[in-house]
Amino acid sequence: MTVNQSPSSFSTPRQRKILRKSYFWLKLLIITVGLITTVDLVCRFLGEWFWFQEVDYLGVWLTRLLTQISLATSVFAVSALFLGLNLFLAEKLSGFESSNYGKSYAQKKPILGKMTLRPLLTLMGLICLLISFLLLHYLQISLSFLSSILEIPFLTNLYTASDVTESYDVSNLKPFFISSLKLQDIQNLLQQIWQAKWQIPILIGFCGFLMMKRRLGLKLFAGVISVFLGLVCALNWEQLLLFLNAISFEKTDPIFSKDVGFYVFSLPIWELLDFWVGGLFLYGLCAVSLIYLGSNNSISNGQFLGFSYPQLRHLYGLGGLVLLTLSLRHALARYELLYSERGVIYGASYADAQVQLPVETFLSITAAIAGIWLFAHALIHPNRFQISGRSPWVALIIYALGLLLGVGLTPLVQQFEVLPNELEKERPYLERSITMTRAGFALDRIEEEPFDPQGDLTLADIEANDQTIRNIRLWDTRPILQTNRQLQRIRLYYEFPDADIDRYTLLKGIGDLENPNQLTERQQVIISPRELNFSAIPQQGQTWVNRHLVYTHGYGFTLSPVNQVGEGGLPYYYIQDIGTGEEEEAGKLRTANPQIRDSIPIGNPRIYYGELTQDYVMTRTGQLELDFPRGDENAYNVYGGEGGINIGSWWRRGLFAEYLKDWQMLFTQNFTTETTLLMRRNIKERVSAIAPFLGFDRDPYLVTAHTEDSLAGTSESHLYWILDAYTMNDHYPYSDPGGYGFNYIRNSVKVIIDAYDGDIQFYIADDDPIIHAWDKVFPDLFHSLEEMPITLRSHIRYPVDLFKVQSERLLNYHMTDPQVFYNREDQWEIPREIYGTQAQAVEPYYLTMKLPDAEREEFILLLPFTPPDRNNMIAWLAARSDGEFYGRQLLYQFPKQRLIFGPEQIEALINQDPVISQQISLWNRQGSQTIQGNLLVIPIEESLLYVEPVYLEAARTSLPTLIRVIVVYENRIAMAETLQEAINVIFQPEKAEDVPAILRPLEDETTPVPEELELE
């Protein structure tokens, strides 16, 4: 008997009243939840609208949003409609929906698939397990996408390759790419489930739920999978827009002779289509099969009588779609062989090209024929469907045999034909991989030059390279930061998050007026912003008013020359402190002298947008903002910049209270009609919100400069952040990604962020097809590098993260000869050094120096290389940053027949020297700790000079002071109080007798410590 749950079916008025009340509260709950959700979505949409309008990139956001919504809704609608219709048809053909459908199933003659209970349960269990794996696979991909986009720490990205290589961590560069469900994915899922055994009950629960509640479970899972598919496709909006705006790379792959743009722009879309329809059709086939197998009480009756003609037609249609999807998968697998890791190289090897490629082609054609065959059988003979013997299964059997052939034959060829003759067989493929990897990481742009140190450097050469000597970095960023945090914080709420190397042009004073170059000089400096860190304020002071209305900005920066030492061995500051009004004008940063004041524009030193500005703030309120400390008191101000969103009206206040989930905004009495909201003040978050398709360098750096706008009086700000941005891809054919998640990278964009107004400008810095495609997508987003103000352009530098990636790849891929590469005859390593007491990889470092054959000194990024298991230096790589030479890289290789000391050998010689080591031990025994800083290799003329600063740090305070400079040249080591003294001791030992220094020959290990040094 059917039980009707309508109110009229209850016998008593009380029961009907209770049910009506329950329905009322249920409807009220649904309406309330729907209303809250709608309000939240509307507020979020309007909040984003106003923010993108403020930064003047509303069109960029709308293009992205409309693309995502279109993808999500279309994919979800098509998926849900397809699965819904198939489930409805399956239930119809199983007699679930109507008892009037012709003859009942039991009266129809089953023609195929009769089975008893045991095989029936086994088959249904396997189908349920496959559905569960499919659901888990798409769930993990969806969560991984959300994790990579929303940066949710507990969602693990299961498919991104490791971003940490042997020497350097560049985990900030981690693009994410999808994959369809493959057999190896099921194996990976099984391994993961076995390791995380708490997932086993969940998987069993999925299967049990499907077995017991097939109808409800299949519909529920169909909805969930449709949502997942729509979500993943929407999050791949970038691939669609790039596909629609593809640019030719004007370079073809060596196997299919297709333009690289096909792999970068088109292949990902085909893979996304495969991901979508593959899961959709496979789930449809499994769900329909499960319905048919469980129909007519087959489990309770203990047997399945078989499939009827209409059911077989339905299954044949779905099976045909699955096989057509398999055909697409094998067709794509042909191109994906260019990313194979089977052989000795990355990309299609001999076995891939000669065996696997024909197999994939054969499987694609066979699967297509089988799919069309099955699909045709499902469509023809609507009234009299018949199966003619084995005909529909012939293609399936051939396909299965081809699949087995592909699985078994390629490894056999690799094992028995390739490995015994590997170099001969793989030579052309090695050449391809080397060429394409060098192109993917722009290693083919590096110019190679020989460098043969002569060892004949003289004092005259030193004097001729005076600017190089005067820019040798004695201060590392770490001791500068430690000193700043001790001496320049001024208040607890100020913090120095970072220190960066840059260069500025300084006035020298009176000189030759006819030669203006004599009036100025380039000086390498370390700049460190003084930002506001609200978390450092004592807990009692962390109120809502203080967080959002009072403590709104940092103030100023410190600027130190890399080569000068102040009193007591502390850093010398060109710019420091905050004027209190006693000696300097209140709020002005203290400069070392008038020349510095005239050379370096300071202007407005307030930092409203920075690296530590995580909180949103409201300005132009009734509450004054803390500006800077002024002795025992504080100075206050009101924000006068152009940034921010006006929230003076009541409805905007309510809108952003909901958007930010900050209800105190509704009740504060401090807001005025001019109140402005500054949000997304963290510069990386700010830039990523506008251009999430770019990867960003981990180290933005501050620049103080006059720009055209500020000179014209339209902006008072002179503080800007420069952030390097990258285009990356993992589909560059034959390019070996190594330990990274990408095999193509370019520093395509320089981003300028105004630290006061928050204004953001994107400048194209590389002739890269990917960034040109994005320029077509967003024509108002990018500017040419020539449009960047010249005063800011003079501060751009080759980015360290890109240099690290290229250096790692260059360790192997500087070898262009296939035989040398195969034997790893000339492999390199990143040298190591001792910093303090810890061994670490040598970090790339900026130098101001004159390259061999160059006419003048310039700002470069440099890194030496050593051979494996040996510590002598074999080469060094330089990246240029100045003017017309920006971006050019030079690789200088040393003669292999000569021994050139590497950083580790120099470190060992220094530490093994009894005089120097005994002096260092003396300092360490006096309640302090010596720290040996970065060892710098300085190329001068055709010689190498090694320089290492030595710092002394008291045990109770973290305040390092520079106490000695060690200089090594050829067979001499000098340790003196200053760099110039150490150089003089080496190159003019006869005139340096009165200098308190140590001069040691490298081969001498017996000289005692001078008595006068024992007292230091």
Side-chain angles (χ1 to χ4, degrees):
M1 181 179 65
T2 303
V3 179
N4 189 352
Q5 296 297 324
S6 65
S8 60
S9 65
F10 286 81
S11 57
T12 66
R14 177 178 175 83
Q15 289 177 323
R16 290 196 294 271
K17 182 177 180 181
I18 292 174
L19 187 59
R20 281 196 296 269
K21 185 176 291 187
S22 300
Y23 282 164
F24 170 77
W25 288 112
L26 179 61
K27 292 177 181 178
L28 183 62
L29 177 63
I30 293 173
I31 292 173
T32 303
V33 171
L35 183 62
I36 291 174
T37 303
T38 302
V39 170
D40 184 70
L41 290 175
V42 170
C43 289
R44 181 163 294 277
F45 174 80
L46 291 176
E48 294 292 322
W49 179 290
F50 285 127
W51 186 81
F52 278 96
Q53 192 176 53
E54 176 228 335
V55 295
D56 201 24
Y57 291 113
L58 181 61
V60 174
W61 176 66
L62 287 177
T63 300
R64 187 176 83 210
L65 183 65
L66 291 174
T67 305
Q68 289 179 305
I69 292 175
S70 301
L71 276 171
T73 54
S74 58
V75 171
F76 171 78
V78 171
S79 302
L81 183 63
F82 175 83
L83 294 178
L85 288 176
N86 277 279
L87 292 177
F88 173 78
L89 180 59
E91 291 174 354
K92 196 79 170 176
L93 295 177
S94 298
F96 279 41
E97 292 296 322
S98 174
S99 60
N100 299 321
Y101 177 75
K103 296 179 180 180
S104 67
Y105 177 87
Q107 294 174 323
K108 290 186 177 182
K109 182 181 177 181
I111 62 169
L112 184 68
K114 183 177 180 180
M115 66 187 75
T116 58
L117 182 61
R118 180 175 294 180
L120 174 64
L121 290 177
T122 301
L123 181 58
M124 293 180 69
L126 289 175
I127 293 175
C128 290
L129 192 61
L130 181 57
I131 290 176
S132 300
F133 276 129
L134 187 66
L135 189 68
L136 187 60
H137 177 74
Y138 285 102
L139 173 64
Q140 288 180 338
I141 287 184
S142 301
L143 294 181
S144 298
F145 262 105
L146 290 174
S147 173
S148 63
I149 293 173
L150 303 178
E151 299 183 354
I152 304 174
F154 59 85
L155 299 179
T156 305
N157 191 333
L158 302 176
Y159 298 95
T160 300
S162 170
D163 300 301
V164 182
T165 61
E166 184 176 345
S167 300
Y168 298 129
D169 175 15
V170 289
S171 55
N172 52 305
L173 305 178
K174 51 175 186 179
F176 182 76
F177 308 99
I178 66 168
S179 65
S180 57
L181 181 63
K182 307 182 185 71
L183 291 177
Q184 57 265 37
D185 292 326
I186 295 179
Q187 181 182 356
N188 294 336
L189 287 172
L190 286 172
Q191 292 176 352
Q192 184 191 30
I193 291 171
W194 181 253
Q195 294 173 356
K197 293 183 172 57
W198 58 270
Q199 296 181 10
I200 296 177
I202 298 177
L203 196 63
I204 295 174
F206 281 162
C207 294
F209 180 66
L210 279 175
M211 291 290 288
M212 292 184 295
K213 299 287 186 181
R214 288 186 301 278
R215 186 177 179 186
L216 175 62
L218 291 173
K219 290 180 179 179
L220 179 63
F221 286 178
V224 171
I225 285 180
S226 298
V227 170
F228 287 163
L229 290 172
L231 176 64
V232 171
C233 290
L235 295 175
N236 274 272
W237 62 274
E238 304 170 11
Q239 305 295 350
L240 178 62
L241 291 179
L242 286 176
F243 172 73
L244 297 175
N245 296 273
I247 299 288
S248 172
F249 273 72
E250 298 182 356
K251 187 180 184 68
T252 59
D253 77 274
I255 296 288
F256 303 101
S257 298
K258 283 187 172 290
D259 188 89
V260 172
F262 166 79
Y263 299 92
V264 173
F265 300 121
S266 301
L267 184 58
I269 283 295
W270 286 106
E271 290 174 331
L272 184 63
L273 178 65
D274 170 54
F275 171 84
W276 174 28
V277 299
L280 186 65
F281 296 157
L282 180 60
Y283 179 80
L285 179 62
C286 291
V288 169
S289 300
L290 198 61
I291 290 175
Y292 289 152
L293 289 171
S295 62
N296 288 279
N297 301 317
S298 59
I299 296 178
S300 60
N301 291 335
Q303 66 174 338
F304 176 65
L305 298 178
F307 298 103
S308 67
Y309 286 123
Q311 290 173 348
L312 282 174
R313 290 181 60 197
H314 191 190
L315 291 173
Y316 274 33
L318 290 173
L321 291 176
V322 170
L323 283 170
L324 289 175
T325 304
L326 283 174
S327 175
L328 174 62
R329 171 94 301 277
H330 288 297
L332 297 178
R334 297 170 68 249
Y335 300 112
E336 291 169 352
L337 289 175
L338 274 63
Y339 317 110
S340 169
E341 300 180 26
R342 188 192 311 275
V344 69
I345 49 93
Y346 184 87
S349 61
Y350 176 87
D352 292 317
Q354 302 301 320
V355 181
Q356 194 63 35
L357 178 59
V359 168
E360 295 291 352
T361 304
F362 170 77
L363 289 173
S364 179
I365 295 173
T366 305
I369 293 173
I372 295 171
W373 199 341
L374 287 175
F375 201 68
H377 276 71
L379 295 178
I380 63 176
H381 306 304
N383 298 319
R384 187 166 167 235
F385 181 84
Q386 295 184 6
I387 300 174
S388 64
R390 299 181 301 271
S391 59
W393 305 102
V394 173
L396 290 176
I397 294 171
I398 295 174
Y399 171 78
L401 291 175
L403 192 62
L404 292 174
L405 181 67
V407 171
L409 183 59
T410 307
L412 288 176
V413 171
Q414 179 71 24
Q415 183 68 33
F416 296 105
E417 182 178 355
V418 176
L419 289 182
N421 311 282
E422 194 167 42
L423 179 58
E424 178 186 351
K425 296 290 186 181
E426 301 286 16
R427 178 182 290 272
Y429 305 98
L430 279 166
E431 292 177 351
R432 296 168 181 175
S433 182
I434 293 170
T435 300
M436 299 302 280
T437 301
R438 288 173 59 85
F441 290 92
L443 305 183
D444 56 348
R445 300 180 180 180
I446 298 175
E447 303 171 31
E448 297 186 13
E449 300 283 348
F451 189 84
D452 187 6
Q454 298 301 312
D456 55 1
L457 195 65
T458 65
L459 185 62
D461 295 325
I462 295 293
E463 293 173 349
N465 290 270
D466 177 60
Q467 189 172 358
T468 299
I469 299 298
R470 285 187 289 107
N471 280 279
I472 292 177
R473 180 161 56 87
L474 302 181
W475 289 103
D476 302 332
T477 56
R478 277 172 281 190
I480 284 286
L481 280 175
Q482 289 176 278
T483 304
N484 281 351
R485 289 162 183 167
Q486 290 285 332
L487 303 180
Q488 289 295 315
R489 284 184 70 179
I490 303 176
R491 293 288 190 272
L492 287 175
Y493 46 78
Y494 285 134
E495 182 59 271
F496 291 89
D498 196 13
D500 295 291
I501 309 294
D502 201 356
R503 69 284 196 200
Y504 284 82
T505 300
L506 304 182
L507 298 174
K508 292 173 62 175
I510 299 175
D512 184 3
L513 295 178
E514 296 182 357
N515 188 359
N517 289 330
Q518 297 297 321
L519 297 174
T520 61
E521 64 176 348
R522 297 294 293 276
Q523 175 64 53
Q524 192 170 324
V525 298
I526 301 178
I527 187 169
S528 183
R530 184 187 290 107
E531 294 199 52
L532 188 136
N533 181 16
F534 188 79
S535 61
I537 293 176
Q539 192 64 36
Q540 301 90 325
Q542 293 190 17
T543 63
W544 185 88
V545 171
N546 282 342
R547 180 183 295 274
H548 298 296
L549 306 183
V550 177
Y551 292 91
T552 58
H553 59 276
Y555 202 94
F557 56 93
T558 65
L559 192 75
S560 307
V562 297
N563 61 321
Q564 297 184 36
V565 184
E567 295 181 2
L570 294 173
Y572 179 78
Y573 287 102
Y574 282 159
I575 298 175
Q576 62 177 325
D577 298 337
I578 302 175
T580 61
E582 298 177 359
E583 299 180 6
E584 301 86 9
E585 182 181 346
K588 291 291 185 180
L589 305 185
R590 180 183 300 173
T591 55
N593 53 58
Q595 291 175 344
I596 297 298
R597 188 179 306 117
D598 295 337
S599 303
I600 301 176
I602 298 175
N604 189 337
R606 298 172 180 86
I607 302 175
Y608 279 84
Y609 300 87
E611 295 184 81
L612 295 182
T613 47
Q614 306 296 340
D615 296 320
Y616 56 90
V617 297
M618 277 70 76
T619 61
R620 303 189 183 106
T621 66
Q623 176 69 53
L624 292 176
E625 305 167 40
L626 171 68
D627 199 20
F628 58 88
R630 189 173 182 178
D632 295 332
E633 300 178 349
N634 292 325
Y636 295 89
N637 83 316
V638 175
Y639 178 67
E642 299 178 359
I645 305 167
N646 182 274
I647 56 171
S649 60
W650 64 268
W651 68 271
R652 286 199 177 195
R653 185 191 304 190
L655 167 69
F656 282 98
E658 162 62 21
Y659 177 85
L660 299 169
K661 299 299 184 289
D662 186 351
W663 301 108
Q664 294 196 56
M665 293 175 65
L666 296 175
F667 306 109
T668 180
Q669 301 297 315
N670 290 297
F671 284 6
T672 68
T673 56
E674 297 181 355
T675 296
T676 301
L677 169 68
L678 308 184
M679 54 181 279
R680 285 198 181 115
R681 298 193 301 136
N682 180 278
I683 54 176
K684 286 186 179 180
E685 178 189 3
R686 193 172 182 83
V687 174
S688 297
I690 298 170
F693 47 86
L694 297 175
F696 296 99
D697 198 272
R698 69 171 64 248
D699 188 23
Y701 56 100
L702 191 71
V703 169
T704 176
H706 280 299
T707 62
E708 294 178 3
D709 288 341
S710 61
L711 287 173
T714 58
S715 175
E716 188 185 12
S717 175
H718 299 303
L719 294 184
Y720 301 89
W721 295 96
I722 298 181
L723 178 60
D724 288 284
Y726 306 100
T727 46
M728 296 175 289
N729 196 272
D730 76 332
H731 276 68
Y732 200 89
Y734 263 114
S735 178
D736 181 6
Y740 304 102
F742 52 87
N743 61 6
Y744 175 90
I745 183 172
R746 294 291 187 271
N747 175 215
S748 301
V749 177
K750 301 286 185 180
V751 189
I752 306 294
I753 306 103
D754 191 312
Y756 187 62
D757 291 329
D759 179 63
I760 305 167
Q761 299 296 328
F762 296 82
Y763 297 93
I764 295 178
D766 195 296
D767 187 21
D768 167 42
I770 297 181
I771 201 61
H772 288 311
W774 283 121
D775 193 28
K776 288 177 63 179
V777 175
F778 304 116
D780 297 326
L781 178 59
F782 300 103
H783 307 279
S784 66
L785 191 63
E786 290 72 23
E787 295 179 65
M788 181 186 294
I790 186 64
T791 50
L792 289 176
R793 205 186 321 158
S794 66
H795 288 279
I796 64 173
R797 62 186 194 183
Y798 201 89
V800 173
D801 278 355
L802 176 61
F803 192 81
K804 287 179 178 179
V805 170
Q806 291 178 311
S807 299
E808 291 270 358
R809 295 283 75 208
L810 196 64
L811 300 180
N812 289 321
Y813 286 94
H814 69 278
M815 298 178 282
T816 56
D817 182 87
Q819 183 168 349
V820 174
F821 184 92
Y822 176 80
N823 295 323
R824 295 297 196 268
E825 297 175 13
D826 191 25
Q827 193 171 2
W828 296 346
E829 286 183 350
I830 304 293
R832 301 186 69 80
E833 65 174 350
I834 304 295
Y835 189 92
T837 59
Q838 301 294 322
Q840 65 177 25
V842 172
E843 291 281 333
Y845 49 90
Y846 290 103
L847 285 177
T848 297
M849 58 166 285
K850 185 167 67 174
L851 290 168
D853 301 326
E855 297 181 357
R856 58 182 176 82
E857 285 82 1
E858 54 188 294
F859 192 63
I860 68 165
L861 185 59
L862 184 144
L863 182 68
F865 299 107
T866 60
D869 303 322
R870 289 181 293 156
N871 296 326
N872 58 289
M873 195 155 56
I874 193 69
W876 55 281
L877 178 65
R880 308 169 81 170
S881 297
D882 286 345
E884 64 197 55
F885 300 113
Y886 173 80
R888 291 182 60 183
Q889 292 174 276
L890 297 166
L891 179 65
Y892 293 93
Q893 298 197 49
F894 300 123
K896 293 181 173 60
Q897 65 274 15
R898 286 189 56 191
L899 174 64
I900 309 297
F901 286 135
E904 288 178 271
Q905 290 173 319
I906 296 296
E907 290 274 13
L909 291 170
I910 292 172
N911 293 326
Q912 290 169 4
D913 185 274
V915 178
I916 294 177
S917 62
Q918 189 170 350
Q919 176 62 79
I920 291 175
S921 298
L922 263 174
W923 283 318
N924 285 333
R925 288 199 301 266
Q926 297 174 353
S928 300
Q929 176 188 7
T930 56
I931 300 174
Q932 292 175 245
N934 293 133
L935 178 66
L936 305 180
V937 183
I938 315 292
I940 298 180
E941 299 295 338
E942 293 189 7
S943 298
L944 295 176
L945 197 68
Y946 303 85
V947 177
E948 181 178 71
V950 180
Y951 310 103
L952 188 64
E953 184 177 295
R956 295 184 179 181
T957 62
S958 181
L959 190 62
T961 57
L962 182 68
I963 53 169
R964 291 294 185 270
V965 179
I966 299 174
V967 176
V968 180
Y969 177 69
E970 289 297 311
N971 63 341
R972 286 164 286 178
I973 304 178
M975 185 170 76
E977 293 184 355
T978 67
L979 173 63
Q980 192 60 52
E981 289 178 357
I983 290 175
N984 291 339
V985 165
I986 287 182
F987 293 99
Q988 287 184 307
E990 68 282 356
K991 296 184 179 181
E993 296 179 356
D994 298 332
V995 176
I998 297 174
L999 176 63
R1000 299 279 296 157
L1002 292 182
E1003 65 273 14
D1004 187 354
E1005 298 182 359
T1006 59
T1007 305
V1009 179
E1011 294 182 1
E1012 64 270 21
L1013 289 178
E1014 295 181 355
L1015 301 177
E1016 292 189 11

